[in-house]
């Protein structure tokens, strides 16, 4: 019975607190939100080296992964021109901006400190295997990219793709389209469905000589969330054995974020540039350290503290209710005509509330 009042009470509390919170001023310099080195890589697959008639991609190099993101965004932009100026309506921005944020906040460094792989803001080098964030992100970008190749969405791929393995734990990954298809068919299918949907869309009109496709923003967003979840679940199953390298608060934060993503997915929260940028403003600028359970005593900014506190609150509430909070949220959202209103409120407002204890 108590769980039945969870959602209404939660929304009432949130709406009440909103009136007490000043509007957050997002950074007007949009370029600051682009992933580091974004302007230094092209959106062309020909930029990768070719050896023995194979396109070689170093998955443990930050810029190689970044180039993969840019290729996907460049090739899909035409389907989202009507949803935002300067290609800001592309739903794939969430993946690229999150990748850049993880890099900027040092979450691809080696938490074990046993290798030379570390975060360098000046000269990007490697993404550490010992980083659970980096390992999971491997599947997010690889399965998306290879699904685009397999579906022939990327039709300018003239060579077989070969992904370079890490020094250790090679068995945890896949390094070609054939191998990834065989090892992770469910996740590959989820990613492929997104690109097949884009392929099925036709141009509905032309504006200033630019074709406008009849893309359903909801459908594209839903399929992207589905692919993202499948990729993350694949990565999580591989990296529980290395997660202990990170601090306890950082590990908890990572799991809290994944719970939060489930709530976002339920609302089909739109993953364009503007929304993704707003979501990531409060993402903590560094990894959490052991002993930082009381976040009000840290050097994090108010927006970051609010983000951490709200994320933790949502995750803990879901645990306390045995997962019923998420179930009730799904039922509330799916039965509401305010589907997107709830989603935008949940992210753009709720994460601003400074519930800090």
């Amino acid at each position: 019975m108590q769980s039945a009042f969870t959602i209404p009470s939660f929304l009432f509390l949130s709406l009440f607190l909103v009136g007490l919170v000043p509007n957050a001023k997002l950074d007007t310099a949009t370029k600051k939100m682009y992933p580091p080195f974004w302007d230094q890589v092209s959106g062309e697959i020909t930029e990768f080296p070719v050896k023995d008639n194979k396109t070689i991609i170093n998955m443990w190099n930050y810029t190689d992964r970044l180039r993969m993101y840019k290729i996907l965004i460049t090739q899909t932009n035409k389907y989202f021109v009507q949803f935002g100026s300067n290609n800001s309506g592309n739903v794939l921005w969430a993946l690229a901006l999150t990748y850049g944020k993880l890099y900027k906040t040092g979450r691809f460094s080696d938490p074990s400190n046993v290798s030379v792989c570390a975060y360098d803001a000046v000269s990007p080098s490697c993404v550490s295997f010992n980083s659970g964030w980096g390992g999971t992100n491997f599947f997010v970008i690889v399965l998306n990219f290879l699904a685009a190749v397999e579906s022939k969405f990327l039709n300018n791929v003239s060579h077989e793709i070969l992904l370079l393995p890490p020094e250790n734990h090679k068995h945890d990954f896949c390094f070609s389209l054939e191998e990834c298809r065989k090892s992770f068919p469910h996740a590959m299918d989820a990613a492929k469905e997104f690109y097949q949907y884009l392929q099925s869309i036709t141009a509905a009109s032309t504006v200033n000589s630019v074709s406008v496709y009849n893309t359903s923003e909801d459908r594209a967003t839903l399929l992207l969330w589905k692919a993202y979840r499948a990729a993350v679940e694949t990565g999580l199953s591989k990296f529980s054995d290395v997660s202990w390298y990170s601090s306890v608060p950082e590990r908890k934060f990572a799991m809290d974020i994944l719970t939060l993503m489930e709530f976002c997915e339920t609302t089909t929260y739109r993953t364009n540039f503007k929304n993704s940028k707003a979501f990531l403003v409060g993402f903590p600028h560094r990894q959490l350290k052991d002993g930082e359970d009381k976040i009000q005593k840290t050097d994090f900014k108010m927006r970051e503290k609010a983000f951490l506190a709200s994320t933790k609150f949502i995750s803990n509430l879901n645990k306390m209710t045995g997962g019923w909070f998420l179930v009730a949220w799904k039922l509330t959202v799916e039965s509401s005509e305010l589907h997107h209103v709830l989603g935008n409120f949940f992210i753009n407002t709720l994460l601003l509330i400074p519930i800090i204890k």
Side-chain angles (χ1 to χ4, degrees):
M1 178 65 70
Q2 182 179 1
S3 296
F5 296 98
T6 299
I7 292 294
S9 300
F10 182 65
L11 290 177
F12 174 79
L13 173 64
S14 301
L15 287 167
F16 175 76
L17 289 173
V18 165
L20 304 180
V21 180
N23 291 330
K25 292 183 179 180
L26 299 182
D27 191 347
T28 56
T30 301
K31 272 200 168 184
K32 291 183 179 180
M33 287 303 297
Y34 281 100
F37 307 101
W38 183 258
D39 291 336
Q40 298 178 29
V41 299
S42 77
E44 300 293 336
I45 197 168
T46 53
E47 193 175 22
F48 290 113
V50 176
K51 182 178 181 181
D52 298 330
N53 207 34
K54 294 182 179 180
T55 296
I56 310 298
I57 302 178
N58 182 358
M59 292 306 303
W60 311 101
N61 180 284
Y62 167 79
T63 51
D64 269 23
R65 289 196 194 187
L66 182 65
R67 189 174 293 119
M68 296 168 77
Y69 282 109
K70 193 163 188 177
I71 289 170
L72 291 179
I73 287 181
T74 300
Q75 294 298 315
T76 56
N77 273 334
K78 68 180 183 179
Y79 297 100
F80 304 100
V81 293
Q82 67 270 40
F83 302 125
S85 59
N86 298 319
N87 297 318
S88 62
N90 195 321
V91 299
L92 284 167
W93 273 118
L95 303 185
L97 293 184
T98 300
Y99 177 66
K101 194 71 169 183
L102 291 173
Y103 174 78
K104 288 179 68 176
T105 57
R107 287 178 165 82
F108 290 148
S109 63
D110 184 355
S112 68
N113 294 319
V114 298
S115 73
V116 296
C117 189
Y119 169 66
D120 186 338
V122 179
S123 177
S125 52
C126 54
V127 178
S128 173
F129 165 79
N130 290 328
S131 158
W133 293 98
T136 301
N137 176 265
F138 172 97
F139 291 98
V140 172
I141 182 57
V142 164
L143 299 181
N144 256 283
F145 193 83
L146 293 182
V149 173
E150 184 180 44
S151 64
K152 299 190 185 314
F153 181 86
L154 296 180
N155 54 18
N156 60 340
V157 179
S158 55
H159 303 285
E160 179 184 350
I161 304 294
L162 178 63
L163 310 174
L164 295 184
E167 294 181 1
N168 301 306
H169 303 279
K170 297 181 181 180
H171 62 279
D172 286 323
F173 302 95
C174 58
F175 308 104
S176 67
L177 173 54
E178 181 180 0
E179 189 177 352
C180 291
R181 161 55 65 185
K182 181 178 180 180
S183 300
F184 312 109
H186 170 69
M188 280 290 294
D189 284 342
K192 189 175 180 180
E193 189 176 359
F194 172 77
Y195 296 99
Q196 287 178 326
Y197 167 68
L198 294 185
Q199 287 174 308
S200 71
I201 298 170
T202 57
S205 62
T206 302
V207 178
N208 296 328
S209 301
V210 176
S211 296
V212 178
Y213 289 76
N214 59 343
T215 309
S216 166
E217 191 175 12
D218 279 356
R219 180 64 176 161
T221 302
L222 182 64
L223 291 175
L224 184 66
W225 274 116
K226 179 181 176 182
Y228 173 80
R229 168 176 288 283
V232 168
E233 289 178 349
T234 299
L236 283 178
S237 67
K238 299 289 182 180
F239 295 101
S240 58
D241 59 335
V242 299
S243 63
W244 62 271
Y245 283 127
S246 299
S247 69
V248 173
E250 181 69 15
R251 295 202 300 270
K252 289 182 178 179
F253 169 64
M255 298 310 296
D256 290 345
I257 280 289
L258 295 179
T259 299
L260 178 63
M261 292 303 183
E262 291 190 62
F263 284 86
C264 296
E265 179 183 356
T266 300
T267 67
T268 319
Y269 183 74
R270 289 172 177 165
T271 53
N272 53 48
F273 188 94
K274 180 182 177 181
N275 283 0
S276 301
K277 173 184 173 183
F279 178 88
L280 291 169
V281 167
F283 198 87
H285 69 273
R286 61 167 175 79
Q287 296 192 63
L288 280 68
K289 303 174 184 177
D290 283 319
E292 287 191 320
D293 295 321
K294 301 293 183 180
I295 61 174
Q296 76 272 20
K297 297 181 179 179
T298 66
D299 65 337
F300 293 119
K301 297 178 181 179
M302 179 58 71
R303 181 71 185 269
E304 294 175 311
K305 291 179 179 180
F307 185 93
L308 286 165
S310 297
T311 303
K312 183 177 181 180
F313 171 74
I314 293 166
S315 181
N316 286 346
L317 182 57
N318 195 50
K319 291 176 184 176
M320 289 170 56
T321 59
W324 178 250
F325 181 35
L326 178 59
V327 173
W329 173 261
K330 287 182 179 180
L331 292 174
T332 301
V333 170
E334 290 173 357
S335 62
S336 173
E337 294 181 359
L338 301 177
H339 188 79
H340 290 299
V341 174
L342 287 173
N344 285 308
F345 165 77
F346 184 74
I347 300 303
N348 297 335
T349 303
L350 181 59
L351 294 183
L352 297 180
I353 301 173
I355 311 174
I356 304 172
K357 297 181 179 180

